[in-house]
Amino acid sequence: MNVRTRLAVSAVVIVGIGLAAVPAGAMSPSQTLYVKDVRYLDSNASVLSNKMVLELGNGICKDLKRGWSVKKLARINKGPSKVDFVEAANLLCTKYKAKVTSYYAKAPAHPAAPTTAPSPRLTQQQQSAVETAKQYLSTQAFSQQGLIDQLDSSAGSGYTVNDATVAVDSLSVNWNNEAVQAAKEYLQTQPFSCTDLIQQLDSSAGDQYTVAQATYGATQAGDCAGGVPATGSTGSTGSTGSTGSTGNTP
């Protein structure tokens, strides 16, 4: 099989989405309040450093700016909770407050109880795509979008976009863990700064992880010991010296 080649991209920091520019190691009042609120409201945040809590919030804002839906981000990141999203929208990127509030106003307070109805049966092509996807995942790390692209690429497996998407959605994959593995694979080949590695992981020309997943991957791989820079946001690049738009659409 032709496994896609990772493309190295140049690191270009683009203007963020209204996050206050603060000196290294410091936080703005809104960022400080975000960290405080999340720690108070979300017991899972107790195991994270203040920098990691803030990075999660910044990543949520950046992914919302890129057009990802709250529903999809909450599902594929396997990390951000309702508290993370609501507090980020209230304090870090207020332009998305209505979008986040609207989603959680419609979402059920508790997950629906499992039903006994059988899962939709996959077609033969979709089942074949599932097996192919598992083979790809056994050889290297993939993001959700990256794996779909590999399956439907004419240079890859040549499945239809629908069959590739259904196949990948049917898998139980922790995409955060995939991002960690991808980050480690990059670091084994050449050195990266924290910002460079996050941009490579979330670039449309690279791995296509969400910003939150890319930040988690780079941090857990040990490349962000000093924390992710808070004065800008990561962005995808298409070629040296120019910023590009991401290819991910929810």
Side-chain angles (χ1 to χ4, degrees):
M1 299 178 187
N2 295 319
V3 179
R4 71 178 157 76
T5 302
R6 302 187 188 280
L7 303 176
V9 297
S10 301
V12 178
V13 177
I14 63 174
V15 178
I17 54 178
L19 300 183
V22 296
M27 292 189 292
S28 70
S30 61
Q31 291 171 330
T32 300
L33 185 57
Y34 170 78
V35 172
K36 181 180 179 180
D37 285 355
V38 170
R39 284 195 172 284
Y40 178 75
L41 297 169
D42 186 353
S43 60
N44 293 325
S46 63
V47 300
L48 303 177
S49 67
N50 286 347
K51 287 181 179 179
M52 281 295 294
V53 173
L54 180 58
E55 287 159 10
L56 178 60
N58 287 346
I60 289 171
C61 289
K62 293 166 190 173
D63 286 327
L64 288 172
K65 181 186 178 185
R66 294 166 65 179
W68 289 79
S69 68
V70 179
K71 180 179 180 180
K72 188 164 186 178
L73 284 173
R75 178 170 62 85
I76 69 176
N77 279 332
K78 296 185 183 297
S81 65
K82 176 181 178 180
V83 169
D84 301 320
F85 277 106
V86 171
E87 293 304 314
N90 284 340
L91 296 167
L92 302 181
C93 46
T94 56
K95 68 180 294 185
Y96 301 108
K97 181 176 180 179
K99 180 178 182 179
V100 172
T101 301
S102 175
Y103 169 75
Y104 283 110
K106 298 175 182 177
H110 302 285
T115 63
T116 57
S119 300
R121 180 172 298 180
L122 301 182
T123 66
Q124 183 175 353
Q125 278 295 293
Q126 290 166 352
Q127 186 58 51
S128 177
V130 167
E131 297 306 316
T132 303
K134 290 179 179 179
Q135 291 177 17
Y136 281 133
L137 289 170
S138 70
T139 62
Q140 71 177 79
F142 279 90
S143 68
Q144 183 183 38
Q145 187 60 49
L147 185 55
I148 291 172
D149 288 352
Q150 176 63 24
L151 288 171
D152 86 328
S153 170
S154 59
S157 302
Y159 293 100
T160 65
V161 174
N162 180 67
D163 286 345
T165 302
V166 170
V168 173
D169 284 348
S170 73
L171 298 174
S172 178
V173 180
N174 187 316
W175 302 111
N176 276 344
N177 288 346
E178 290 295 304
V180 174
Q181 184 57 41
K184 291 179 178 179
E185 290 172 2
Y186 278 124
L187 292 172
Q188 289 173 356
T189 61
Q190 68 182 84
F192 281 86
S193 70
C194 175
T195 299
D196 286 3
L197 185 55
I198 293 173
Q199 289 179 332
Q200 174 63 24
L201 290 169
D202 98 303
S203 168
S204 60
D207 295 72
Q208 304 186 78
Y209 290 97
T210 67
V211 177
Q213 291 167 354
T215 300
Y216 180 87
T219 302
Q220 293 300 310
D223 202 39
C224 301
V228 176
T231 56
S233 68
T234 57
S236 304
T237 58
S239 59
T240 303
S242 64
T243 57
S245 61
T246 60
N248 288 345
T249 56

